[in-house]
Amino acid sequence: QLLDSCLHAEGIQIFIGQESGYRILDDISVVTAPYMLNNKVVGVLGIIGPTRMAYERVIPIVDVTAKLLGSALNARK
């Protein structure tokens, strides 16, 4: 459900511990970014890790990977 909600958000979403609203995720963090096909969001890529992860490294990796995935999907047309 968390990833589904990210389908409708723009850009990178960061959920640290309890911010996700899901008790099972209280001790972890999730960083997500949507990827697109034909200018339409078709999925969400995410990293799950500890709440004290290196966000300055993880955020750009998630962002670039989602953009590369979208580019690869669009190139297959």
Side-chain angles (χ1 to χ4, degrees):
Q1 291 177 343
L2 181 64
L3 294 179
D4 284 341
S5 70
C6 293
L7 285 169
H8 308 291
E10 283 194 36
I12 296 191
Q13 299 295 303
I14 303 166
F15 303 94
I16 301 172
Q18 297 175 346
E19 290 177 6
S20 71
Y22 295 95
R23 176 172 249 158
I24 196 165
L25 302 177
D26 282 356
D27 297 325
I28 62 173
S29 291
V30 180
V31 178
T32 68
Y35 55 91
M36 303 169 116
L37 177 62
N38 299 323
N39 295 318
K40 182 178 178 185
V41 174
V42 293
V44 175
L45 177 93
I47 297 274
I48 300 170
T51 55
R52 294 185 180 260
M53 73 170 89
Y55 294 97
E56 69 279 358
R57 293 182 61 210
V58 171
I59 292 168
I61 290 170
V62 171
D63 186 35
V64 168
T65 304
K67 288 176 180 169
L68 289 172
L69 179 56
S71 292
L73 290 172
N74 283 295
R76 294 185 65 202
K77 296 191 283 183

